């Protein structure tokens, strides 16, 4: 090795050691860390300059990104020139240009935003060609190359062509002008604040770069519950600045619009989409938008849904509404994504035939063929609403003449809100691979949304992302795997969940094999774990449906107009959606699929309660009864959640301290909350069914001392609602400003024990707790989280573990609670257990 080379390597190693062991990482760099890569096999021969033969803004971003990546990962400074050189260069070029310089190259058809990466090595010199189908392709190819370098892949025979599966690869943000985000769990909007677009759009531009790095080409920045003012001239001028921040990254801006806009901001007397004045208003609005934002992507529409006005107001159809918008956008190349999330939220729960799951198909299937070619129906992947387990929406397989895009949720509204680990790629994979038998066997959802089946012009995937200003974008450092995974699947739905998890882990945490193995395994197990403690057999996530959608709140789904019922009573549970005796929903599927769901014999266990109403004693394919399955899976799920903490702990010292600590904190919280979920669901079903857990666990908690039965000083017992969210249905609350205490005597054998205090952390203020053993202070903690409730319930119930401590019979344990700002230092119980 030559001396300079040796020195360079030494420097790199030093830098690496520093980065790896000392510096903290907030997660803001996400999967674009460009951390030094040791042993990059290609380092020796990778070229020393960049030749940029495409002068677009997007290709310039590609060149500077390549410089940045090579600097970070390989410690190389690589200059950019636009002088075509035949040797020793990365060549960034579009396919049309490429033919000029490399006439001997015969690039196969490169559709869409595709790219071709090709390494040419001769006589010790090398070229790496990054050929894009267009400028975006050049950028995507560059990021793909950097991704390969970061993962230490062997590039010596690099010859990869990739074409994205579908043209629409968008994220939606549900950001409001005031800067709040509907169903956002990671801080405030990167786009808006106090009614305006932010002056500083640095994070917005960084977001676009992140999105571009994984092939996302559109971003809708405002809530689908659209503020009326979005389309006002002054607002559009502000929004144009976001489009400017996106443009270097090839991300096109889209906007959610209210169908009522012609009336609310256009001051017309009507918003009837078939009124000529209304159509003219939309046309001139579109002209105005394109004069400010020439590459504007289009509109997303939520209409006649959850209070949003729509065409039904005038007896018009969604096709009438969508086409009016589409005709205004068409001259400019814009499109309309019309959401099919349209349903009546005042359904009559007493009507056994009423069924929200039917709505999208019932409304949109008859309209197939009536939409203009630049309209795309945006269809949620399941017929209800992003539950932990749902069947595939039958509407995805029912359209032949209408383009469709599938909507998924990266923001974990019903799947733990980024406080619980829930990697959703395996779920999306199941959906994408599901064969809907649309016109024959072999029509998986991924082909339907790519427009391959029935040859429709547009299609793709849209994810509700809801990143926020939190440094790591989504709150939980491991949650970013969902954003990454969504984008990778939108590009290539044939990637496996394992591949995606591994790739993401390498880019986000480095190539240490133990780190890669452990995090990949945790991610892959997490959806199933979450499902197993939050709701059984396709019944839906048994959460607080009317409020936060977060903690357990079982009956909130029943007996109201929202239609997320599972119809449980003392005899049985489940929605009868059969054609024979139920709502007929199953009949919306093509025959083989319908037949599978219709019969109890072939209906998969994991969707049993979505499709059928059965007694608790019904035997599953597994041989177990429904009720015992509920008990067992919830116990197993809570155990598995605890195991995630142990798995993570094996990585101490192998990932940076800051992210290590943040993930540990969240996983520990999750393990505690999984027990709250487990107990709520198991106790509720045991009581409702009158059938006891055959393993005797439910309702029996050895070592658990209820706060209401402790010796109380100042604390008063209260009934918690819903009852199943507190142990024994009761807890204690402190309304004395000087504080309260609850004490008990340890009765077990001498030994070392951990103490798990179950307390309620209300979002109204900060309470403080102290734990004393025989009068000696052993632990103190603050209830300072901002969980989504101001009440003592399943959202706020939180576990804090002290110890292990040495305990002897007769020892006194005292917990002091000091209320603060409306948080009453609620305490549910203390569990004393051997570790
Ligand atoms: O899941 C529900 C959410 C609403 C959301 C709606 C939708 C933006 O609870 O907050 O509204 O879906 O998708 O339109």
């Amino acid at each position: 090795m030559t001396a300079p080379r040796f020195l360079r390597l030494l420097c790199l190693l030093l830098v690496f050691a520093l980065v790896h062991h000392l510096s903290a990482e907030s997660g803001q760099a996400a999967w674009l860390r460009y951390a030094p890569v040791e042993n990059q096999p290609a380092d020796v021969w990778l070229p020393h300059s960049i030749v940029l033969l495409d002068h677009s803004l997007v290709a310039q971003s590609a060149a500077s990104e390549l410089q940045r990546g090579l600097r970070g990962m390989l410690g190389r400074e690589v200059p950019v020139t636009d002088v075509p050189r035949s040797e020793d260069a990365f060549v960034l070029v579009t396919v049309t240009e490429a033919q000029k310089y490399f006439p001997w190259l015969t690039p196969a058809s490169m559709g869409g935003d595709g790219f071709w990466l090709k390494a040419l090595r001769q006589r010790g010199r090398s070229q790496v060609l990054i050929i894009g189908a267009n400028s975006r392709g050049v950028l995507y190819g560059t990021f793909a190359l950097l991704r390969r370098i970061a993962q230490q892949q062997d590039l010596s025979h690099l010859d990869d062509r990739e074409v994205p599966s579908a043209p629409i690869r968008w994220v939606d943000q549900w950001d409001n002008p005031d800067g709040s985000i509907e169903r956002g769990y990671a801080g405030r909007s990167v786009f808006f604040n106090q009614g305006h677009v932010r002056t500083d759009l640095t994070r917005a531009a960084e977001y676009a770069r992140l999105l571009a790095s994984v092939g996302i080409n559109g971003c809708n920045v405002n809530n689908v519950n659209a503020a009326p003012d979005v389309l006002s001239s002054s607002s559009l001028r502000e929004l144009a600045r976001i489009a400017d921040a996106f443009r270097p990254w090839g991300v096109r801006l889209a906007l959610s619009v209210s169908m009522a806009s012609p009336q609310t901001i256009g001051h017309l007397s009507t918003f009837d989409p078939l009124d000529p004045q209304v159509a003219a208003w939309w046309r001139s609005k579109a002209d105005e938008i394109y004069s400010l934002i020439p590459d504007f992507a289009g509109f997303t529409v939520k209409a006649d849904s959850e209070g949003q006005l729509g065409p039904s107001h005038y007896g018009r159809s969604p096709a009438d509404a969508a086409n009016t918008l589409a005709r205004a956008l068409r001259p400019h190349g814009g499109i309309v994504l019309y959401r099919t999330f349209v349903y009546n939220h005042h359904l009559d729960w007493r009507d056994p035939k009423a069924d929200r799951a039917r709505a999208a198909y019932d409304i949109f299937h008859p309209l197939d063929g009536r939409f203009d070619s630049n309209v795309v129906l945006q269809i949620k992947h399941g017929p209800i609403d992003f539950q932990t387990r749902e069947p595939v929406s039958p509407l995805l397989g029912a359209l032949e003449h209408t383009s469709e895009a599938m909507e998924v949720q990266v923001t974990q509204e019903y799947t733990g809100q980024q406080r619980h680990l829930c990697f959703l790629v395996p779920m999306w994979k199941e959906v994408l691979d599901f064969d809907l038998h649309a016109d024959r066997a072999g029509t998986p959802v991924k082909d339907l949304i790519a427009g391959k089946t029935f040859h429709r012009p547009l299609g793709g995937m849209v994810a509700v992302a809801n990143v926020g200003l939190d440094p790591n974008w989504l709150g939980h450092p491991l949650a970013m795997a969902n954003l990454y995974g969504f984008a990778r699947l939108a590009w290539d739905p044939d990637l496996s969940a394992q591949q995606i998890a591994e790739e993401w882990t390498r880019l986000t945490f480095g190539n240490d094999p133990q780190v890669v193995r452990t995090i990949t395994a945790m991610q892959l197990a997490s959806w199933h774990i979450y499902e197993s403690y939050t709701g059984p057999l396709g019944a839906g996530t048994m959460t607080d449906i009317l409020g936060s959608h977060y903690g357990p709140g079982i009956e909130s789904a029943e007996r109201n107009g929202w239609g997320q019922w599972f119809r449980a009573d003392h005899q049985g549970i489940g929605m009868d959606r059969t054609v024979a005796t139920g709502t007929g929903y199953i009949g919306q599927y093509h025959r083989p699929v319908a037949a599978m769901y219709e019969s109890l014999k072939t209906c998969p266990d994991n969707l049993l309660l979505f499709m059928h109403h059965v007694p608790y004693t019904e035997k599953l394919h597994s041989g177990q009864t429904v009720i015992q399955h509920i008990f067992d899976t919830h116990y197993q799920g809570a155990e598995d959640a605890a195991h995630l903490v142990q798995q993570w702990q094996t990585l101490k010292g192998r990932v940076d301290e800051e992210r290590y600590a943040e993930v540990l904190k969240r996983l520990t919280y999750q393990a505690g909350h999984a027990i709250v979920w487990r107990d709520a669901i198991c106790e509720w079903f045991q009581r409702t069914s009158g059938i006891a857990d055959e393993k005797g666990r439910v309702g029996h908690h050895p070592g658990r001392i209820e706060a209401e039965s402790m010796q109380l000083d100042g604390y008063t017992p209260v009934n918690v609602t819903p009852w199943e969210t507190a142990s024994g249905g009761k807890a204690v609350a402190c309304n004395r400003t000087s504080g309260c205490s609850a004490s008990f005597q340890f009765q077990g054998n001498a030994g070392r024990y951990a103490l798990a205090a179950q307390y309620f952390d209300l979002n109204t203020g900060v309470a403080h707790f102290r734990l004393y053993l025989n009068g000696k202070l052993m632990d103190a903690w603050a209830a300072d989280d901002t969980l989504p409730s101001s009440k003592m319930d399943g959202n706020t119930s939180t576990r804090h573990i002290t110890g292990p401590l040495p305990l002897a019979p007769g020892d006194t344990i005292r917990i002091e609670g000091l209320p603060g700002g409306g948080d009453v230092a609620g305490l549910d119980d203390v569990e004393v257990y051997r570790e």
Side-chain angles (χ1 to χ4, degrees):
M1 190 184 293
T2 58
R5 194 166 149 66
F6 173 75
L7 279 177
R8 213 179 72 209
L9 197 72
L10 198 70
C11 286
L12 254 182
L13 286 174
L14 272 174
V15 172
F16 178 77
L18 281 173
V19 168
H20 199 70
H21 291 292
L22 299 179
S23 81
E25 292 198 43
S26 67
Q28 193 163 329
W31 52 82
L32 296 178
R33 289 160 69 239
Y34 299 142
V37 175
E38 342 84 276
N39 308 324
Q40 168 45 250
D43 193 14
V44 223
W45 59 266
L46 279 174
H48 291 83
S49 67
I50 297 171
V51 173
L52 181 60
L53 299 177
D54 170 2
H55 299 291
S56 67
L57 194 58
V58 169
Q60 283 169 34
S61 304
S64 46
E65 193 67 29
L66 189 53
Q67 286 186 303
R68 181 171 172 177
L70 295 172
R71 186 182 307 126
M73 292 190 285
L74 304 177
R76 278 187 187 208
E77 284 304 331
V78 183
V80 181
T81 84
D82 57 3
V83 185
R85 257 199 270 155
S86 56
E87 291 179 331
D88 198 39
F90 295 91
V91 183
L92 276 58
V93 64
T94 56
V95 69
T96 12
E97 287 286 296
Q99 256 133 19
K100 274 197 226 155
Y101 299 101
F102 312 98
W104 45 269
L105 277 180
T106 48
S109 80
M110 296 217 313
D113 295 334
F115 59 80
W116 183 14
L117 300 178
K118 177 133 181 87
L120 302 171
R121 299 174 60 197
Q122 333 162 358
R123 300 186 307 277
R125 294 305 199 109
S126 53
Q127 279 183 328
V128 174
L129 309 186
I130 305 177
I131 304 177
N134 52 22
S135 299
R136 249 191 229 112
V138 172
L139 180 63
Y140 298 156
T142 303
F143 277 116
L145 177 70
L146 291 168
R147 203 152 57 223
R148 284 161 178 71
I149 296 175
Q151 295 176 77
Q152 298 172 313
Q153 286 175 10
D154 180 5
L155 303 179
S156 45
H157 303 291
L158 184 66
D159 188 3
D160 289 354
R161 291 163 204 248
E162 293 192 18
V163 177
S165 166
I168 297 171
R169 303 179 305 278
W170 287 16
V171 294
D172 282 1
Q173 289 278 139
W174 287 349
D175 297 26
N176 299 312
D178 66 1
S180 63
I181 304 180
E182 180 154 348
R183 313 296 176 189
Y185 310 106
R188 293 172 59 77
S189 171
V190 299
F191 303 116
F192 304 103
N193 193 29
Q194 296 180 347
H196 294 279
V197 167
R198 284 184 185 279
T199 325
D200 179 0
L201 287 173
T202 313
R203 287 294 294 273
E206 273 180 43
Y207 186 33
R209 171 172 164 258
L210 264 186
L211 295 174
S213 75
V214 278
I216 297 298
N217 58 6
C219 176
N220 185 321
V221 293
N222 68 312
N223 193 349
V224 286
N225 293 328
D229 192 46
V230 178
L231 290 180
S232 73
S233 299
S234 59
S235 153
L236 287 173
R237 276 193 298 276
E238 294 190 17
L239 288 160
R241 290 182 34 244
I242 303 181
D244 294 343
F246 285 177
R247 194 161 296 118
W249 302 103
V251 175
R252 294 168 73 186
L253 177 84
L255 292 174
S256 300
V257 296
S258 157
M259 283 309 299
S261 307
Q263 199 174 55
T264 45
I265 58 162
H267 307 296
L268 300 183
S269 58
T270 172
F271 64 89
D272 178 354
L274 294 190
D275 184 298
Q277 277 189 70
V278 169
W281 185 87
W282 282 110
R283 277 197 303 275
S284 80
K285 212 17 110 177
D287 295 345
E288 183 187 349
I289 294 174
Y290 280 91
S291 72
L292 295 163
I293 309 169
D295 54 354
F296 183 67
F299 294 144
T300 304
V301 182
K302 173 175 178 178
D304 291 321
S305 168
E306 298 182 336
Q308 296 301 307
L309 289 168
S312 72
H313 196 74
Y314 298 98
R316 310 298 187 196
S317 75
D320 298 328
N323 292 343
T324 297
L325 301 191
R327 285 165 202 169
L329 295 169
R330 172 177 282 290
H332 309 282
I335 62 175
V336 175
L337 291 187
Y338 200 95
R339 296 175 86 229
T340 64
F341 186 63
V342 181
Y343 68 101
N344 169 9
H345 66 276
H346 299 290
L347 278 179
D348 179 5
W349 60 270
R350 293 170 205 83
D351 175 2
K353 299 287 179 196
D355 187 359
R356 168 170 164 184
R358 292 189 58 117
Y361 180 103
D362 283 348
I363 296 167
F364 288 90
H365 178 240
L367 299 176
D368 189 21
R370 290 191 38 206
F371 292 95
D372 284 9
S373 60
N374 59 332
V375 176
V376 179
L377 293 186
Q378 183 166 320
I379 306 172
K380 288 193 184 186
H381 65 82
I384 299 284
D385 190 10
F386 303 132
Q387 303 298 287
T388 314
R389 169 81 59 181
E390 285 188 54
V392 173
S393 167
L395 183 59
L396 286 164
L399 302 166
E400 294 190 17
H401 311 288
T402 310
S403 297
E404 52 191 50
M406 182 166 80
E407 181 178 315
V408 301
Q409 226 186 18
V410 161
T411 190
Q412 295 170 228
E413 177 181 354
Y414 282 96
T415 52
Q417 304 188 354
Q418 286 104 285
R419 291 174 182 276
H420 291 235
L421 181 65
C422 192
F423 180 54
L424 293 163
V425 167
M427 171 165 98
W428 300 330
K429 279 292 288 179
E430 277 188 20
V431 175
L432 288 164
D433 290 339
F434 190 83
D435 187 357
L436 279 165
H437 292 261
D439 69 338
R440 60 195 145 79
T443 49
V445 169
K446 61 188 169 197
D447 288 355
L448 293 165
I449 60 174
K452 286 183 193 153
T453 323
F454 307 122
H455 306 290
R456 288 162 292 182
L458 290 164
M461 277 176 89
V462 178
V464 181
N466 290 357
V467 303
L469 275 179
D470 275 8
N472 66 19
W473 303 97
L474 280 173
H476 197 312
L478 301 185
M480 283 295 272
N482 283 326
L483 183 57
Y484 183 86
F486 152 72
R488 299 290 287 132
L489 286 177
W491 181 274
D492 178 4
D494 290 324
L495 292 170
S496 74
Q498 164 101 20
Q499 259 170 298
I500 292 173
E502 251 184 57
E503 199 178 278
W504 175 81
T505 306
R506 286 176 183 279
L507 299 174
T508 308
F509 287 101
N511 291 302
D512 174 343
Q514 189 183 330
V515 172
V516 176
R517 229 181 8 253
T518 308
I519 297 181
T520 302
M522 291 171 66
Q523 294 276 23
L524 290 177
S526 60
W527 168 46
H528 181 65
I529 295 175
Y530 186 78
E531 178 183 21
S532 61
Y533 61 78
T534 56
L537 304 166
T541 316
M542 297 201 155
T543 184
D544 178 4
I545 295 295
L546 304 175
S548 65
H549 300 179
Y550 178 61
I554 300 171
E555 280 178 77
S556 65
E558 301 270 62
R559 292 176 290 282
N560 57 46
W562 290 94
Q564 289 186 228
W565 319 309
F566 44 84
R567 297 199 186 283
D569 59 20
H570 65 288
Q571 286 171 320
I573 176 171
M575 277 289 290
D576 182 357
R577 292 190 160 106
T578 61
V579 175
T581 55
T583 68
Y585 162 84
I586 291 174
Q588 295 182 341
Y589 290 98
H590 294 282
R591 227 206 64 81
V593 182
M596 169 182 70
Y597 289 141
E598 181 82 7
S599 159
L600 273 173
K601 281 204 199 70
T602 47
C603 182
D605 285 349
N606 59 23
L607 285 173
L608 177 68
L609 303 182
F610 194 92
M611 304 292 179
H612 295 270
H613 185 85
V614 295
Y616 292 109
T617 49
E618 177 79 16
K619 283 256 165 66
L620 300 171
H621 297 301
S622 66
Q624 217 171 24
T625 59
V626 165
I627 189 73
Q628 195 56 39
H629 173 93
I630 294 177
F631 297 143
D632 287 356
T633 48
H634 286 73
Y635 269 83
Q636 188 62 49
E639 236 176 75
D640 292 344
H643 182 57
L644 289 173
V645 178
Q646 293 161 0
Q647 283 172 285
W648 184 253
Q649 283 169 330
T650 64
L651 302 184
K652 186 155 176 62
R654 290 181 178 270
V655 302
D656 62 287
E657 268 305 317
E658 189 174 354
R659 287 183 300 169
Y660 176 79
E662 182 61 30
V663 173
L664 182 62
K665 189 170 119 199
R666 290 188 186 240
L667 291 174
T668 307
Y669 165 81
Q670 176 183 356
H673 201 222
I675 294 174
V676 176
W677 269 100
R678 174 198 78 188
D679 288 351
I681 290 183
C682 289
E683 308 251 353
W684 191 90
F685 277 101
Q686 180 163 277
R687 185 187 284 190
T688 305
S689 69
I691 303 174
D693 169 24
E694 64 187 27
K695 297 185 183 144
R697 297 158 299 190
V698 181
H700 303 284
H701 302 284
R704 190 181 284 187
I705 298 107
E706 296 296 341
E708 57 277 15
S709 65
M710 294 179 193
Q711 198 183 329
L712 303 178
D713 179 8
Y715 265 125
T716 46
V718 288
N719 290 324
V720 170
T721 9
W723 65 268
E724 70 274 11
T725 58
S727 188
K730 287 187 172 28
V732 298
C734 178
N735 290 305
R736 198 163 71 181
T737 45
S738 57
C740 306
S741 76
S743 16
F744 64 95
Q745 288 200 328
F746 176 65
Q747 308 288 6
N749 298 327
R752 290 179 68 76
Y753 293 85
L755 293 106
Q758 199 70 38
Y759 65 101
F760 295 90
D761 188 345
L762 314 191
N763 64 10
T764 46
V766 178
H768 289 88
F769 291 92
R770 287 186 178 155
L771 186 144
Y772 295 84
L773 174 59
N774 297 327
K776 187 164 169 234
L777 180 66
M778 306 303 288
D779 197 5
W781 68 96
D784 57 358
D785 205 342
T786 43
L787 291 154
S789 172
S790 56
K791 294 191 330 191
M792 291 167 47
D793 60 20
N795 297 301
T796 52
S797 182
T798 306
R799 173 165 282 232
H800 178 87
I801 298 174
T802 302
L805 302 176
L807 295 185
D811 279 354
T812 300
I813 290 138
R814 189 172 88 247
I815 307 238
E816 277 181 12
L818 183 65
D823 186 331
V824 292
L827 184 67
D828 189 1
D829 62 75
V830 175
E831 204 160 290
V832 184
Y833 59 97
R834 280 189 194 269
E835 277 236 296

